């Protein structure tokens, strides 16, 4: 789930250099067979992790994913009031639906794109590799599970819809993985 990434990401930033030193000072294997066996497993896990991260990046930028995300924003941004500081109960309900929709879509796509993908195994890899849980893909996934980011996205999307494109700049700087839809030219006119 997206919350696994957020938890791992927070722990990564709190770790000290001592933790990394400990990881580097593992005991050496006693035999060549043990070395070959463990390096083959490491290579297979590394390959699986890298393939999954690459697929995640592709999924987040895919037109189908962007369309799904924009459709959800269109259907639900009317419930959000950017002029109020109040977080209404409906915001939480919509946010939960949003996260569930994204998780289901992402995991379904990963199963189709990555041979041997397992949600449980990927979560385990994330927890075992906190130092590798960095970069734009993970930052995007973490922001997708952040309520404040979601609320700001909804506000920006609503402003963009209601003001003929004003707010598009805000939308581009929030958690949406996609360009605003439709793309607007200067002055709020559609291209």
């Amino acid at each position: 789930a997206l919350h696994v990434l957020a938890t791992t990401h927070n722990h990564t930033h709190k770790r000290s250099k001592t933790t990394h030193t400990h990881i580097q000072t593992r005991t050496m294997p006693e035999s060549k067979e043990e070395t070959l066996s463990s390096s083959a497993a490491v290579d297979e896990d590394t390959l699986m992790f890298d393939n999954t991260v690459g697929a995640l990046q592709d999924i987040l930028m895919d037109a189908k994913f962007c369309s799904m995300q924009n459709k959800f924003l269109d259907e639900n941004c009317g419930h959000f009031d950017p002029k109020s500081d109040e977080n209404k109960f409906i915001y939480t309900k919509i946010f939960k639906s949003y996260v569930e929709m994204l998780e289901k879509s992402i995991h379904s796509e990963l199963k189709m794109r990555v041979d041997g993908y397992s949600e449980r195994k990927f979560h385990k890899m994330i927890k075992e590799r906190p130092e590798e849980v960095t970069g734009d893909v993970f930052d995007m996934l973490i922001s997708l599970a952040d309520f404040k980011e979601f609320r700001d996205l909804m506000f920006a999307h609503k402003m963009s819809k209601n003001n003929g494109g004003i707010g598009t700049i805000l939308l581009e700087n929030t958690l949406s993985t996609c360009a605003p839809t439709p793309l607007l030219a200067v002055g709020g006119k559609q291209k």
Side-chain angles (χ1 to χ4, degrees):
L2 296 174
H3 70 277
V4 171
L5 288 168
T7 303
T8 302
H9 190 265
N10 289 337
H11 290 293
T12 301
H13 290 294
K14 293 177 185 174
R15 289 179 182 243
S16 67
K17 291 180 182 178
T18 309
T19 304
H20 295 290
T21 304
H22 175 71
I23 291 170
Q24 294 171 353
T25 59
R26 293 182 183 155
T27 57
M28 298 302 290
E30 294 183 21
S31 70
K32 279 186 175 181
E33 291 165 354
E34 188 178 343
T35 303
L36 292 175
S37 174
S38 71
S39 69
V42 169
D43 290 344
E44 186 178 311
D45 285 348
T46 300
L47 184 60
M48 172 64 82
F49 185 80
D50 292 346
N51 286 341
T52 304
V53 171
L56 271 171
Q57 184 173 3
D58 293 344
I59 291 165
L60 292 174
M61 298 302 162
D62 187 270
K64 185 171 105 177
F65 186 84
C66 293
S67 176
M68 175 189 66
Q69 187 179 26
N70 281 318
K71 181 180 178 196
F72 187 92
L73 297 175
D74 285 342
E75 291 172 353
N76 292 284
C77 70
H79 296 286
F80 289 77
D81 181 7
K83 295 176 185 170
S84 172
D85 290 334
E86 179 186 357
N87 283 324
K88 300 175 183 175
F89 179 71
I90 189 84
Y91 294 4
T92 305
K93 185 177 177 182
I94 293 170
F95 173 67
K96 286 180 182 180
S97 295
Y98 180 72
V99 170
E100 287 172 12
M101 176 192 72
L102 294 178
E103 285 182 342
K104 182 179 177 183
S105 175
I106 289 168
H107 290 299
S108 173
E109 285 291 322
L110 285 171
K111 285 178 185 177
M112 289 189 301
R113 296 177 187 216
V114 180
D115 289 335
Y117 171 78
S118 147
E119 183 177 346
R120 195 177 96 240
K121 186 173 183 176
F122 187 58
H123 289 181
K124 183 180 176 207
M125 283 188 228
I126 290 170
K127 288 178 181 178
E128 291 171 349
R129 302 162 185 261
E131 68 282 355
E132 293 181 49
V133 180
T134 59
D136 294 339
V137 172
F138 290 109
D139 289 343
M140 178 57 63
L141 287 173
I142 291 164
S143 71
L144 291 173
D146 182 276
F147 176 77
K148 184 181 178 326
E149 291 279 339
F150 169 76
R151 191 190 68 193
D152 292 346
L153 174 64
M154 280 297 196
F155 291 164
H157 193 79
K158 183 174 184 173
M159 288 173 29
S160 179
K161 277 183 67 171
N162 291 343
N163 297 322
I166 298 171
T168 300
I169 293 168
L170 282 175
L171 183 59
E172 290 174 346
N173 292 324
T174 59
L175 63 97
S176 178
T177 61
C178 316
T181 304
L183 293 175
L184 301 174
V186 177
K189 303 209 184 220
Q190 292 186 0
K191 286 186 176 180

